[in-house]
PDB file of all heavy atoms in Angstrom:
ATOM      1  N   SER A   1      20.418 -72.250  23.525  1.00 72.00           N
ATOM      2  CA  SER A   1      19.860 -72.790  22.285  1.00 72.00           C
ATOM      3  C   SER A   1      21.008 -73.325  21.437  1.00 72.00           C
ATOM      4  O   SER A   1      22.088 -72.756  21.401  1.00 72.00           O
ATOM      5  CB  SER A   1      19.088 -71.711  21.529  1.00 72.00           C
ATOM      6  OG  SER A   1      19.946 -70.626  21.216  1.00 72.00           O
ATOM      7  N   ALA A   2      20.749 -74.432  20.776  1.00 74.00           N
ATOM      8  CA  ALA A   2      21.799 -75.068  19.987  1.00 74.00           C
ATOM      9  C   ALA A   2      21.236 -75.649  18.708  1.00 74.00           C
ATOM     10  O   ALA A   2      20.070 -76.003  18.645  1.00 74.00           O
ATOM     11  CB  ALA A   2      22.460 -76.176  20.797  1.00 74.00           C
ATOM     12  N   ILE A   3      22.097 -75.741  17.724  1.00 79.00           N
ATOM     13  CA  ILE A   3      21.776 -76.494  16.526  1.00 79.00           C
ATOM     14  C   ILE A   3      22.551 -77.796  16.640  1.00 79.00           C
ATOM     15  O   ILE A   3      23.775 -77.794  16.782  1.00 79.00           O
ATOM     16  CB  ILE A   3      22.155 -75.739  15.247  1.00 79.00           C
ATOM     17  CG1 ILE A   3      21.294 -74.483  15.111  1.00 79.00           C
ATOM     18  CG2 ILE A   3      21.990 -76.637  14.026  1.00 79.00           C
ATOM     19  CD1 ILE A   3      21.602 -73.635  13.906  1.00 79.00           C
ATOM     20  N   GLY A   4      21.825 -78.878  16.593  1.00 79.00           N
ATOM     21  CA  GLY A   4      22.439 -80.194  16.708  1.00 79.00           C
ATOM     22  C   GLY A   4      22.757 -80.536  18.152  1.00 79.00           C
ATOM     23  O   GLY A   4      22.531 -79.745  19.070  1.00 79.00           O
ATOM     24  N   TYR A   5      23.263 -81.736  18.337  1.00 77.00           N
ATOM     25  CA  TYR A   5      23.716 -82.169  19.647  1.00 77.00           C
ATOM     26  C   TYR A   5      24.660 -83.331  19.464  1.00 77.00           C
ATOM     27  O   TYR A   5      24.285 -84.356  18.905  1.00 77.00           O
ATOM     28  CB  TYR A   5      22.535 -82.582  20.543  1.00 77.00           C
ATOM     29  CG  TYR A   5      22.999 -83.020  21.906  1.00 77.00           C
ATOM     30  CD1 TYR A   5      23.451 -82.094  22.831  1.00 77.00           C
ATOM     31  CD2 TYR A   5      23.008 -84.360  22.249  1.00 77.00           C
ATOM     32  CE1 TYR A   5      23.888 -82.489  24.079  1.00 77.00           C
ATOM     33  CE2 TYR A   5      23.441 -84.767  23.504  1.00 77.00           C
ATOM     34  CZ  TYR A   5      23.885 -83.818  24.410  1.00 77.00           C
ATOM     35  OH  TYR A   5      24.326 -84.219  25.645  1.00 77.00           O
ATOM     36  N   GLY A   6      25.888 -83.153  19.883  1.00 79.00           N
ATOM     37  CA  GLY A   6      26.845 -84.245  19.826  1.00 79.00           C
ATOM     38  C   GLY A   6      27.358 -84.503  18.425  1.00 79.00           C
ATOM     39  O   GLY A   6      27.956 -83.642  17.803  1.00 79.00           O
ATOM     40  N   HIS A   7      27.100 -85.658  17.898  1.00 83.00           N
ATOM     41  CA  HIS A   7      27.683 -86.152  16.649  1.00 83.00           C
ATOM     42  C   HIS A   7      26.911 -85.610  15.441  1.00 83.00           C
ATOM     43  O   HIS A   7      25.846 -86.113  15.107  1.00 83.00           O
ATOM     44  CB  HIS A   7      27.669 -87.676  16.664  1.00 83.00           C
ATOM     45  CG  HIS A   7      28.226 -88.241  17.927  1.00 83.00           C
ATOM     46  ND1 HIS A   7      29.576 -88.256  18.193  1.00 83.00           N
ATOM     47  CD2 HIS A   7      27.622 -88.790  19.013  1.00 83.00           C
ATOM     48  CE1 HIS A   7      29.786 -88.801  19.385  1.00 83.00           C
ATOM     49  NE2 HIS A   7      28.613 -89.125  19.908  1.00 83.00           N
ATOM     50  N   THR A   8      27.476 -84.607  14.772  1.00 86.00           N
ATOM     51  CA  THR A   8      26.696 -83.891  13.757  1.00 86.00           C
ATOM     52  C   THR A   8      27.295 -83.866  12.359  1.00 86.00           C
ATOM     53  O   THR A   8      26.736 -83.214  11.485  1.00 86.00           O
ATOM     54  CB  THR A   8      26.462 -82.437  14.203  1.00 86.00           C
ATOM     55  OG1 THR A   8      27.736 -81.806  14.381  1.00 86.00           O
ATOM     56  CG2 THR A   8      25.631 -82.363  15.463  1.00 86.00           C
ATOM     57  N   PHE A   9      28.421 -84.538  12.127  1.00 90.00           N
ATOM     58  CA  PHE A   9      28.963 -84.519  10.760  1.00 90.00           C
ATOM     59  C   PHE A   9      27.899 -84.924   9.749  1.00 90.00           C
ATOM     60  O   PHE A   9      27.726 -84.273   8.719  1.00 90.00           O
ATOM     61  CB  PHE A   9      30.149 -85.475  10.636  1.00 90.00           C
ATOM     62  CG  PHE A   9      31.471 -84.914  11.081  1.00 90.00           C
ATOM     63  CD1 PHE A   9      31.597 -83.638  11.596  1.00 90.00           C
ATOM     64  CD2 PHE A   9      32.607 -85.690  10.967  1.00 90.00           C
ATOM     65  CE1 PHE A   9      32.822 -83.136  12.003  1.00 90.00           C
ATOM     66  CE2 PHE A   9      33.842 -85.206  11.360  1.00 90.00           C
ATOM     67  CZ  PHE A   9      33.951 -83.934  11.873  1.00 90.00           C
ATOM     68  N   GLU A  10      27.191 -85.990  10.053  1.00 86.00           N
ATOM     69  CA  GLU A  10      26.187 -86.500   9.116  1.00 86.00           C
ATOM     70  C   GLU A  10      25.055 -85.487   8.906  1.00 86.00           C
ATOM     71  O   GLU A  10      24.546 -85.326   7.804  1.00 86.00           O
ATOM     72  CB  GLU A  10      25.626 -87.823   9.626  1.00 86.00           C
ATOM     73  CG  GLU A  10      24.751 -88.520   8.642  1.00 86.00           C
ATOM     74  CD  GLU A  10      24.379 -89.928   9.099  1.00 86.00           C
ATOM     75  OE1 GLU A  10      24.808 -90.371  10.181  1.00 86.00           O
ATOM     76  OE2 GLU A  10      23.635 -90.571   8.363  1.00 86.00           O
ATOM     77  N   MET A  11      24.680 -84.773   9.959  1.00 85.00           N
ATOM     78  CA  MET A  11      23.602 -83.797   9.864  1.00 85.00           C
ATOM     79  C   MET A  11      23.969 -82.658   8.901  1.00 85.00           C
ATOM     80  O   MET A  11      23.181 -82.266   8.047  1.00 85.00           O
ATOM     81  CB  MET A  11      23.302 -83.220  11.252  1.00 85.00           C
ATOM     82  CG  MET A  11      22.209 -82.179  11.260  1.00 85.00           C
ATOM     83  SD  MET A  11      21.927 -81.555  12.930  1.00 85.00           S
ATOM     84  CE  MET A  11      22.580 -79.919  12.753  1.00 85.00           C
ATOM     85  N   PHE A  12      25.180 -82.125   9.038  1.00 85.00           N
ATOM     86  CA  PHE A  12      25.581 -80.997   8.195  1.00 85.00           C
ATOM     87  C   PHE A  12      26.071 -81.428   6.820  1.00 85.00           C
ATOM     88  O   PHE A  12      25.959 -80.683   5.858  1.00 85.00           O
ATOM     89  CB  PHE A  12      26.662 -80.168   8.890  1.00 85.00           C
ATOM     90  CG  PHE A  12      26.147 -79.366  10.037  1.00 85.00           C
ATOM     91  CD1 PHE A  12      26.536 -79.659  11.330  1.00 85.00           C
ATOM     92  CD2 PHE A  12      25.262 -78.326   9.832  1.00 85.00           C
ATOM     93  CE1 PHE A  12      26.062 -78.918  12.404  1.00 85.00           C
ATOM     94  CE2 PHE A  12      24.771 -77.576  10.888  1.00 85.00           C
ATOM     95  CZ  PHE A  12      25.173 -77.877  12.182  1.00 85.00           C
ATOM     96  N   ALA A  13      26.634 -82.619   6.726  1.00 87.00           N
ATOM     97  CA  ALA A  13      27.195 -83.061   5.450  1.00 87.00           C
ATOM     98  C   ALA A  13      26.123 -83.495   4.457  1.00 87.00           C
ATOM     99  O   ALA A  13      26.422 -83.657   3.283  1.00 87.00           O
ATOM    100  CB  ALA A  13      28.195 -84.192   5.670  1.00 87.00           C
ATOM    101  N   LYS A  14      24.888 -83.671   4.902  1.00 80.00           N
ATOM    102  CA  LYS A  14      23.808 -84.077   4.001  1.00 80.00           C
ATOM    103  C   LYS A  14      24.276 -85.248   3.142  1.00 80.00           C
ATOM    104  O   LYS A  14      24.623 -85.087   1.984  1.00 80.00           O
ATOM    105  CB  LYS A  14      23.371 -82.917   3.118  1.00 80.00           C
ATOM    106  CG  LYS A  14      22.864 -81.717   3.861  1.00 80.00           C
ATOM    107  CD  LYS A  14      22.502 -80.628   2.865  1.00 80.00           C
ATOM    108  CE  LYS A  14      22.225 -79.339   3.575  1.00 80.00           C
ATOM    109  NZ  LYS A  14      22.066 -78.229   2.658  1.00 80.00           N
ATOM    110  N   TRP A  15      24.320 -86.411   3.742  1.00 78.00           N
ATOM    111  CA  TRP A  15      24.894 -87.598   3.104  1.00 78.00           C
ATOM    112  C   TRP A  15      24.469 -87.765   1.653  1.00 78.00           C
ATOM    113  O   TRP A  15      25.277 -88.147   0.813  1.00 78.00           O
ATOM    114  CB  TRP A  15      24.526 -88.839   3.891  1.00 78.00           C
ATOM    115  CG  TRP A  15      25.490 -89.335   4.935  1.00 78.00           C
ATOM    116  CD1 TRP A  15      25.406 -90.552   5.533  1.00 78.00           C
ATOM    117  CD2 TRP A  15      26.638 -88.721   5.502  1.00 78.00           C
ATOM    118  NE1 TRP A  15      26.420 -90.714   6.448  1.00 78.00           N
ATOM    119  CE2 TRP A  15      27.199 -89.595   6.447  1.00 78.00           C
ATOM    120  CE3 TRP A  15      27.270 -87.492   5.315  1.00 78.00           C
ATOM    121  CZ2 TRP A  15      28.343 -89.318   7.184  1.00 78.00           C
ATOM    122  CZ3 TRP A  15      28.407 -87.196   6.062  1.00 78.00           C
ATOM    123  CH2 TRP A  15      28.916 -88.098   6.970  1.00 78.00           C
ATOM    124  N   ASP A  16      23.217 -87.492   1.322  1.00 80.00           N
ATOM    125  CA  ASP A  16      22.778 -87.665  -0.067  1.00 80.00           C
ATOM    126  C   ASP A  16      23.565 -86.749  -1.011  1.00 80.00           C
ATOM    127  O   ASP A  16      24.018 -87.181  -2.071  1.00 80.00           O
ATOM    128  CB  ASP A  16      21.287 -87.378  -0.211  1.00 80.00           C
ATOM    129  CG  ASP A  16      20.423 -88.438   0.445  1.00 80.00           C
ATOM    130  OD1 ASP A  16      20.948 -89.536   0.733  1.00 80.00           O
ATOM    131  OD2 ASP A  16      19.235 -88.174   0.671  1.00 80.00           O
ATOM    132  N   GLU A  17      23.711 -85.504  -0.635  1.00 83.00           N
ATOM    133  CA  GLU A  17      24.424 -84.539  -1.480  1.00 83.00           C
ATOM    134  C   GLU A  17      25.929 -84.794  -1.471  1.00 83.00           C
ATOM    135  O   GLU A  17      26.573 -84.831  -2.514  1.00 83.00           O
ATOM    136  CB  GLU A  17      24.115 -83.117  -0.998  1.00 83.00           C
ATOM    137  CG  GLU A  17      24.592 -82.032  -1.917  1.00 83.00           C
ATOM    138  CD  GLU A  17      23.922 -82.050  -3.284  1.00 83.00           C
ATOM    139  OE1 GLU A  17      22.751 -82.449  -3.387  1.00 83.00           O
ATOM    140  OE2 GLU A  17      24.589 -81.675  -4.258  1.00 83.00           O
ATOM    141  N   PHE A  18      26.499 -84.968  -0.286  1.00 86.00           N
ATOM    142  CA  PHE A  18      27.942 -85.211  -0.189  1.00 86.00           C
ATOM    143  C   PHE A  18      28.313 -86.556  -0.807  1.00 86.00           C
ATOM    144  O   PHE A  18      29.434 -86.744  -1.243  1.00 86.00           O
ATOM    145  CB  PHE A  18      28.393 -85.160   1.273  1.00 86.00           C
ATOM    146  CG  PHE A  18      28.717 -83.786   1.787  1.00 86.00           C
ATOM    147  CD1 PHE A  18      27.873 -82.707   1.535  1.00 86.00           C
ATOM    148  CD2 PHE A  18      29.844 -83.569   2.542  1.00 86.00           C
ATOM    149  CE1 PHE A  18      28.160 -81.452   2.009  1.00 86.00           C
ATOM    150  CE2 PHE A  18      30.145 -82.307   3.027  1.00 86.00           C
ATOM    151  CZ  PHE A  18      29.305 -81.238   2.762  1.00 86.00           C
ATOM    152  N   GLY A  19      27.365 -87.486  -0.829  1.00 83.00           N
ATOM    153  CA  GLY A  19      27.617 -88.810  -1.384  1.00 83.00           C
ATOM    154  C   GLY A  19      28.028 -88.796  -2.846  1.00 83.00           C
ATOM    155  O   GLY A  19      28.606 -89.758  -3.351  1.00 83.00           O
ATOM    156  N   LYS A  20      27.752 -87.698  -3.537  1.00 90.00           N
ATOM    157  CA  LYS A  20      28.169 -87.548  -4.933  1.00 90.00           C
ATOM    158  C   LYS A  20      29.678 -87.304  -5.036  1.00 90.00           C
ATOM    159  O   LYS A  20      30.226 -87.284  -6.130  1.00 90.00           O
ATOM    160  CB  LYS A  20      27.410 -86.391  -5.582  1.00 90.00           C
ATOM    161  CG  LYS A  20      25.905 -86.607  -5.637  1.00 90.00           C
ATOM    162  CD  LYS A  20      25.196 -85.358  -6.113  1.00 90.00           C
ATOM    163  CE  LYS A  20      23.686 -85.534  -6.006  1.00 90.00           C
ATOM    164  NZ  LYS A  20      22.979 -84.280  -6.281  1.00 90.00           N
ATOM    165  N   HIS A  21      30.313 -87.098  -3.880  1.00 94.00           N
ATOM    166  CA  HIS A  21      31.740 -86.789  -3.825  1.00 94.00           C
ATOM    167  C   HIS A  21      32.441 -87.763  -2.872  1.00 94.00           C
ATOM    168  O   HIS A  21      32.662 -87.440  -1.703  1.00 94.00           O
ATOM    169  CB  HIS A  21      31.952 -85.350  -3.332  1.00 94.00           C
ATOM    170  CG  HIS A  21      31.294 -84.324  -4.181  1.00 94.00           C
ATOM    171  ND1 HIS A  21      31.862 -83.839  -5.329  1.00 94.00           N
ATOM    172  CD2 HIS A  21      30.096 -83.702  -4.057  1.00 94.00           C
ATOM    173  CE1 HIS A  21      31.045 -82.952  -5.882  1.00 94.00           C
ATOM    174  NE2 HIS A  21      29.965 -82.856  -5.129  1.00 94.00           N
ATOM    175  N   PRO A  22      32.815 -88.935  -3.350  1.00 95.00           N
ATOM    176  CA  PRO A  22      33.458 -89.917  -2.464  1.00 95.00           C
ATOM    177  C   PRO A  22      34.709 -89.368  -1.774  1.00 95.00           C
ATOM    178  O   PRO A  22      35.029 -89.772  -0.663  1.00 95.00           O
ATOM    179  CB  PRO A  22      33.817 -91.071  -3.394  1.00 95.00           C
ATOM    180  CG  PRO A  22      33.162 -90.820  -4.689  1.00 95.00           C
ATOM    181  CD  PRO A  22      32.667 -89.417  -4.707  1.00 95.00           C
ATOM    182  N   GLU A  23      35.381 -88.414  -2.420  1.00 96.00           N
ATOM    183  CA  GLU A  23      36.591 -87.828  -1.833  1.00 96.00           C
ATOM    184  C   GLU A  23      36.308 -87.007  -0.577  1.00 96.00           C
ATOM    185  O   GLU A  23      37.221 -86.624   0.145  1.00 96.00           O
ATOM    186  CB  GLU A  23      37.323 -86.974  -2.883  1.00 96.00           C
ATOM    187  CG  GLU A  23      36.612 -85.700  -3.283  1.00 96.00           C
ATOM    188  CD  GLU A  23      35.515 -85.857  -4.346  1.00 96.00           C
ATOM    189  OE1 GLU A  23      35.126 -86.993  -4.690  1.00 96.00           O
ATOM    190  OE2 GLU A  23      35.033 -84.803  -4.836  1.00 96.00           O
ATOM    191  N   PHE A  24      35.043 -86.728  -0.291  1.00 95.00           N
ATOM    192  CA  PHE A  24      34.671 -85.997   0.923  1.00 95.00           C
ATOM    193  C   PHE A  24      34.683 -86.903   2.158  1.00 95.00           C
ATOM    194  O   PHE A  24      34.558 -86.419   3.277  1.00 95.00           O
ATOM    195  CB  PHE A  24      33.276 -85.396   0.788  1.00 95.00           C
ATOM    196  CG  PHE A  24      33.188 -84.184  -0.115  1.00 95.00           C
ATOM    197  CD1 PHE A  24      34.247 -83.736  -0.888  1.00 95.00           C
ATOM    198  CD2 PHE A  24      31.996 -83.484  -0.199  1.00 95.00           C
ATOM    199  CE1 PHE A  24      34.138 -82.635  -1.712  1.00 95.00           C
ATOM    200  CE2 PHE A  24      31.871 -82.361  -1.016  1.00 95.00           C
ATOM    201  CZ  PHE A  24      32.940 -81.938  -1.768  1.00 95.00           C
ATOM    202  N   PHE A  25      34.816 -88.211   1.960  1.00 95.00           N
ATOM    203  CA  PHE A  25      34.686 -89.166   3.060  1.00 95.00           C
ATOM    204  C   PHE A  25      35.996 -89.880   3.355  1.00 95.00           C
ATOM    205  O   PHE A  25      36.948 -89.828   2.576  1.00 95.00           O
ATOM    206  CB  PHE A  25      33.589 -90.175   2.733  1.00 95.00           C
ATOM    207  CG  PHE A  25      32.238 -89.543   2.577  1.00 95.00           C
ATOM    208  CD1 PHE A  25      31.720 -89.286   1.324  1.00 95.00           C
ATOM    209  CD2 PHE A  25      31.506 -89.169   3.694  1.00 95.00           C
ATOM    210  CE1 PHE A  25      30.481 -88.673   1.181  1.00 95.00           C
ATOM    211  CE2 PHE A  25      30.267 -88.557   3.553  1.00 95.00           C
ATOM    212  CZ  PHE A  25      29.752 -88.304   2.293  1.00 95.00           C
ATOM    213  N   SER A  26      36.011 -90.574   4.459  1.00 96.00           N
ATOM    214  CA  SER A  26      37.198 -91.274   4.937  1.00 96.00           C
ATOM    215  C   SER A  26      37.745 -92.260   3.923  1.00 96.00           C
ATOM    216  O   SER A  26      36.991 -92.998   3.287  1.00 96.00           O
ATOM    217  CB  SER A  26      36.868 -92.063   6.210  1.00 96.00           C
ATOM    218  OG  SER A  26      36.560 -91.209   7.267  1.00 96.00           O
TER     219      SER A  26
END
């Protein structure tokens, strides 16, 4: 059993919430 599969930064980072913090991104 797994949570997620493969490319998951976006899944855990919750883009809407993290988007309030531009310094969290590249």
Side-chain angles (χ1 to χ4, degrees):
S1 59
I3 294 178
Y5 181 73
H7 311 285
T8 60
F9 277 2
E10 189 171 0
M11 179 180 110
F12 288 113
K14 300 178 190 172
W15 266 193
D16 290 344
E17 190 64 31
F18 274 46
K20 297 172 187 172
H21 301 277
E23 69 278 10
F24 286 7
F25 298 100
S26 294

